[in-house]
Amino acid sequence: MTTPLALAPGLPGAFAAVYAGQVSRAKASRGPLLFVATLQSVGILLLLRGVVDTGDGVTGQQVVAGSTVLVVAFVALNLLAQRFGALRGDGGLDHYAALPVPASAVVLGTAASYATFTVPGAVLTAVVGCLLYGLPLAHLWVLLLVLPLAGASLAGIGALLGLLAPRPELATVAGQLGMSAVLFLGVVPAERLPLVLQAVRALLPSSYAADALARALGPRVEITSLAPDLAICAVAAVLSLALASTAYRRAVRR
Amino acid sequence: MTAVGPEAAPRPLAGPTASPAVEIEGVTRSHRGRRGAEPVLANDGISLTVHPGEVFGLLGPNGAGKTTLVRQIVGALHPDAGRIRVLGHDITADPRRAPRLLAYLGQDEPALRELPVGLAVETTGRLRGLSRAEARSRRDVLLDELGIGEVHRRPLLALSGGQRRLAHVAAALIGERPLLVLDEPTTGLDPVARRAVWAALDRRRAAGATVVLVTHNVLEAETVLDRVAVLDRGRVIACDTPGRLKAMVSDEVRLDLVWRGAPAADDPTVALLAQSAVVSGRRWSIRLPREQAREALGRLTAGPALESLDDFTLATPSLEDVYLALGGRDRDLERG
């Protein structure tokens, strides 16, 4: 005689529980890191203000957009890679392995919470940037589209790096390198980079998020001109999160 | 294997048609070495049956393979060979069934580290399928039961080791599963908290749950376990009730001697005891028949050897003695 299986939570319920737990965890312990993430981007804005002419609209737009997306990369890519690397390294994944939770709920719930933490810093960076470089604050509503897509795609990559890294230290290194790539390749306009770096830039979903935001900070926002970049971001998000869910399944059953 | 009556269950509570709570057949598992190092054999052909409604223990020193075995029971690790069934379900074939049958408490719960106690328990309950309202009401009852209600807002990181462990136990107990697999649930707890956990487990057992408990604490094993499997270096060296295991060595006692300085080697009693003593620093531990122990102690305390003797104790056998008598070689079982 077999004992009937207990009911398992569905994807929405499990996602909501994981998300709520992770958001609360960040409130308790991640404040200083979120501050550093924002400070880094605002610092870059201030630094580059010294070398970029206010007259050079396009460059200013790219600097503000790149710095804003950098906050997302710091948290959603770098910190999330570290989080999953640590969970994998110290046996924390056993906790979830012993709960009847869909893999995608753990990955999506955690990724969504990290993407959420980026919002205050990213908005602040964008506002400061617009003020410093004389760009239209009214166009920042585009962040409503850019931040979720940048957050989802970079969090997917962060989760994937953390779950694939054989050791937590390597997850940290991978997260840091990923963030550095976003920093160097997102803040500088594509056409000013050497060809090799342009190719690397094309592989980063953050580049498309930064480009869409940069364009939106011009004199006029045309949603149709942003659509291709945002669509690429969305595809990258779906792909990276699906791959991260597969990596999670492999990591919890060894 | 020197297993002693492995099927001698004291009292399976469920009816005779019920499946065993856990059936382990020939489970072998190695840990792969890093960078070409030799794999380490952690479980070597383990077979065990845990009956419904019993508190079953896995006792052994660090490195005996206890944690590797329970991680396979809960589906977090796949056996290299052998099969595990939990409450009639084949976990080896479909590990995803395990979380719907059992709750697992690991030695540490790093995933919960930064969460406030109440939320850690509530979230775990929700992930076991409880609604938010149910999870909250059961969380409150559990935190009170374990005596940590007043710290429910504090993150686990900020608690003492004992309180943190109680929070882990609460997370394992929420969402009542018919099988509880607990890896050293009382490590780091003071005696009061330890008894609170034992009482909580006893209430679950009375309600029909089965408990599999890993311990390297002899007192815990003797106090709460219905049956115990003694593990050493990946193998089961005995499995029976604590009472019956101790009866195997009941004609023996343990004589512990603590020397102040070097004991007089020319004393014939000292020389005799030295042959079978397990020495750790100034402490000698000797297992020997009651009568011989009494005589040896009499001669020591009456003769010149008393000068260098700092302290001595004569103790009836514990499960540690059973472990040693069966050939166990490590000496880090806890007595307290």
Side-chain angles (χ1 to χ4, degrees):
Chain A
M1 196 183 79
T2 53
T3 303
L5 298 171
L7 282 179
L11 180 61
F15 171 86
V18 171
Y19 179 81
Q22 291 299 319
V23 167
S24 149
R25 188 179 146 265
K27 270 194 220 151
S29 63
R30 287 290 175 270
L33 282 172
L34 300 184
F35 175 75
V36 170
T38 313
L39 191 71
Q40 171 181 270
S41 282
V42 172
I44 289 168
L45 288 175
L46 289 169
L47 194 73
L48 292 181
R49 182 66 192 79
V51 291
V52 176
D53 261 331
T54 24
D56 185 356
V58 176
T59 307
Q61 285 158 236
Q62 194 70 45
V63 168
V64 173
S67 304
T68 304
V69 172
L70 178 61
V71 180
V72 183
F74 187 106
V75 180
L77 194 160
N78 178 29
L79 293 186
L80 186 59
Q82 291 186 34
R83 169 68 176 163
F84 273 119
L87 278 178
R88 190 176 168 209
D90 63 14
L93 290 180
D94 273 6
H95 175 75
Y96 295 109
L99 292 169
V101 198
S104 48
V106 178
V107 171
L108 291 177
T110 312
S113 69
Y114 273 69
T116 308
F117 313 150
T118 69
V119 171
V123 170
L124 183 72
T125 303
V127 169
V128 171
C130 285
L131 293 175
L132 275 176
Y133 291 77
L135 302 174
L137 277 171
H139 294 187
L140 285 185
W141 64 264
V142 174
L143 287 175
L144 289 173
L145 297 171
V146 171
L147 288 185
L149 290 172
S153 55
L154 291 174
I157 294 173
L160 189 61
L161 292 176
L163 288 165
L164 288 181
R167 295 206 307 271
E169 309 88 84
L170 292 179
T172 304
V173 171
Q176 297 275 4
L177 285 177
M179 185 183 67
S180 302
V182 173
L183 164 60
F184 293 121
L185 303 177
V187 173
V188 181
E191 59 278 10
R192 301 213 187 151
L193 291 169
L195 270 181
V196 181
L197 289 184
Q198 283 192 28
V200 179
R201 189 182 193 277
L203 291 174
L204 282 175
S206 56
S207 310
Y208 300 94
D211 288 352
L213 180 57
R215 218 165 300 127
L217 293 177
R220 282 176 48 225
V221 191
E222 280 176 39
I223 195 74
T224 46
S225 74
L226 310 183
D229 281 332
L230 294 177
I232 292 173
C233 250
V235 170
V238 171
L239 271 180
S240 61
L241 288 167
L243 286 174
S245 296
T246 307
Y248 170 86
R249 270 184 220 105
R250 282 189 43 198
V252 293
R253 311 233 181 271
R254 284 172 284 173
Chain B
M1 193 173 90
T2 339
V4 184
E7 298 306 321
R11 47 184 169 75
L13 291 186
T17 55
S19 318
V22 184
E23 258 181 304
I24 301 169
E25 286 172 25
V27 162
T28 296
R29 168 76 200 206
S30 301
H31 294 307
R32 288 104 177 108
R34 194 177 276 174
R35 292 191 187 170
E38 282 293 303
V40 179
L41 190 59
N43 287 166
D44 184 4
I46 289 185
S47 295
L48 285 172
T49 302
V50 179
H51 302 291
E54 69 178 344
V55 179
F56 186 91
L58 295 168
L59 175 74
N62 292 321
K66 310 181 297 285
T67 294
T68 302
L69 185 61
V70 293
R71 291 188 66 224
Q72 292 173 98
I73 297 175
V74 304
L77 209 58
H78 198 269
D80 295 335
R83 200 174 64 140
I84 297 175
R85 295 179 73 82
V86 169
L87 296 161
H89 297 267
D90 189 339
I91 295 305
T92 313
D94 187 2
R96 285 171 306 172
R97 291 178 176 222
R100 297 172 64 183
L101 295 162
L102 58 86
Y104 171 56
L105 168 66
Q107 277 184 19
D108 189 12
E109 291 285 355
L112 301 177
R113 202 173 282 158
E114 286 144 324
L115 290 180
V117 173
L119 189 66
V121 178
E122 176 195 326
T123 304
T124 310
R126 286 173 71 185
L127 294 179
R128 280 205 188 98
L130 299 181
S131 72
R132 193 164 157 173
E134 278 173 323
R136 287 188 171 174
S137 74
R138 295 196 201 177
R139 166 201 71 190
D140 294 342
V141 174
L142 263 170
L143 294 185
D144 286 341
E145 181 182 2
L146 293 169
I148 46 171
E150 74 276 17
V151 295
H152 75 281
R153 284 182 201 282
R154 294 180 60 194
L156 269 76
L157 262 182
L159 301 180
S160 70
Q163 284 179 322
R164 194 179 313 139
R165 199 61 184 148
L166 288 173
H168 295 162
V169 172
L173 295 183
I174 194 165
E176 289 95 19
R177 289 290 192 254
L179 174 64
L180 302 170
V181 181
L182 313 171
D183 196 345
E184 303 195 0
T186 60
T187 298
L189 294 189
D190 61 51
V192 176
R194 190 178 286 179
R195 282 180 195 287
V197 172
W198 291 345
L201 293 184
D202 203 43
R203 282 189 280 275
R204 282 5 175 235
R205 189 254 300 270
T210 307
V211 181
V212 173
L213 192 152
V214 171
T215 183
H216 66 273
N217 183 300
V218 171
L219 175 69
E220 177 162 271
E222 294 181 359
T223 311
V224 299
L225 300 182
D226 294 322
R227 279 196 312 144
V228 56
V230 184
L231 265 70
D232 186 51
R233 308 199 180 194
R235 304 173 74 95
V236 177
I237 57 174
C239 179
D240 208 330
T241 65
R244 274 189 228 162
L245 286 179
K246 286 200 288 185
M248 292 167 54
V249 290
S250 63
D251 58 332
E252 293 191 329
V253 289
R254 194 182 62 236
L255 175 62
D256 281 320
L257 303 172
V258 185
W259 299 103
R260 199 170 286 142
D266 53 349
D267 184 306
T269 311
V270 172
L272 183 71
L273 293 174
Q275 291 171 13
S276 55
V278 180
V279 180
S280 85
R282 296 187 301 125
R283 179 182 293 273
W284 287 17
S285 193
I286 310 115
R287 270 201 352 264
L288 67 181
R290 274 167 204 278
E291 201 47 45
Q292 281 183 29
R294 197 173 301 140
E295 284 168 14
L297 195 57
R299 288 199 300 274
L300 282 180
T301 48
L306 184 63
E307 289 299 308
S308 43
L309 193 60
D310 197 28
D311 194 11
F312 63 87
T313 50
L314 197 57
T316 52
S318 71
L319 283 178
E320 184 185 22
D321 299 294
V322 175
Y323 167 75
L324 294 171
L326 289 169
R329 284 157 289 184
D330 290 288
R331 306 198 55 83
D332 63 351
L333 289 175
E334 263 178 33
R335 292 177 192 172

